[in-house]
Amino acid sequence: MNIFLIFNITSIGIAAFILLYLSQIPKTKSGCWCWGIAFALQVVGYLVLLSVEDRAQVRTAEYFHVVSLLGYGTVLLFGTFQFFDIQKRQRNYIIAASVITLWYSIFFFIFEWFFAASIIPSIYMAYCVSVVGWIFYKKRHKNKEYILLSLITWLSAVHYLDYPFLRQNIAFAPYGFLIAGILNMVLVIFLLRFQFVHFRQRLIDAEALALKLAYHDSLTGLINRRRLFDLFDTLKLLVIRRKEKLTVIFIDLNDFKMINDNFGHDAGDHSLVKIARRIKSVVRDTDVVSRVGGDEFVILALSCQNQAGIEELVSRIKECLKEPLIIKQQDHLVGAAIGYAVCPDQSTNLETLLSLADSHMFKQKQAHKADIEGTENDSDLVEPTNAEVK
């Protein structure tokens, strides 16, 4: 029998240590700590049995073993609740385990009625592991392996229920420990696997998020300047090989600073998101839209293969940006100065193309300011009416 106890202590002890260690790693799913404590309680119970040196100590050791199993079933259930984020009143289970422990103590030591003492703890243990199995079974749509774990827990429940009957025949004790050790080992392997699978998925999700943050603008969701340069290098080779053109369109919003000054940065951020959506709505799926500055956008347009196509796209962008933005129930007009350069006609270097597009855009911006100033000057030259003279 000692061989089976040593097997249980070694296998379950290692698993308990791994679960407790995993619980200290960030991003590990909840429940790992409770599962580790649950199997550690089992190990304590087996160690108590292994420490028995004479038959006089067997009764006391068996008592502590059953009490440790009551703790194991309760904490195993708590870990499952946490793993699936199930809100349950754990206090009720703690009270039930305490009352059952008191029942077991009274009938085991005072009345010395083994069957009456052990039947209630056996039912409670079977109930706890059955609930664990039922919870995993209900979540089987997430992972088909949950069904196998459910079967293991239900077999364990049957094993706990036969304890009051088979324990009275000492010949069954070694086989009971062997069966319990195998079932617990399979159970803990599944629990470890589920934690590792979840941990692996969290790492994959974290890596995907890191890449998204590295290559995308966090506000608008458009690609950022770094990703723009990477994509340009790829698209440049494509258009050169196909003898096509890649148009770099630079967009700088007019008077956008007034939105931040008059309505606050939250309103400005919300407006940028709307503007990004508008620009995306007028370009083709093959075109790349990026945000490279506070109110600056760059488009890599594969859809424009001639001057007419470029002017048509620029016109569509200007039209979509002419629609007023509604900010705090007020209309605010935001236009844009747009410049462009063509690869490979003007350059195959993105920095150079951006510089050329920026120069083209700057001329438009200066013309826009000149038109505004000219309009203001014209209004100052209007002759006063007779009513104004009087």
Side-chain angles (χ1 to χ4, degrees), residues 277-296:
R277 290 175 181 169
R278 289 184 186 180
I279 295 173
K280 285 280 290 183
S281 68
V282 298
V283 302
R284 295 186 179 180
D285 293 338
T286 55
D287 299 335
V288 177
V289 183
S290 68
R291 181 185 174 211
V292 296
D295 58 356
E296 296 174 343

Side-chain angles (χ1 to χ4, degrees), residues 9-28:
I9 292 169
T10 304
S11 57
I12 297 173
I14 293 173
F17 174 80
I18 295 174
L19 285 168
L20 291 172
Y21 180 77
L22 282 177
S23 67
Q24 304 303 310
I25 300 176
K27 304 299 183 183
T28 301

Side-chain angles (χ1 to χ4, degrees), residues 256 259 271-272 274-275 278 322-327 330-334:
F256 187 79
I259 296 179
S271 300
L272 283 172
K274 286 185 176 180
I275 290 169
R278 289 184 186 180
K322 281 183 181 179
E323 184 181 346
L325 294 168
I326 301 175
I327 305 173
Q330 298 181 36
D331 289 350
H332 190 89
L333 296 175
V334 176

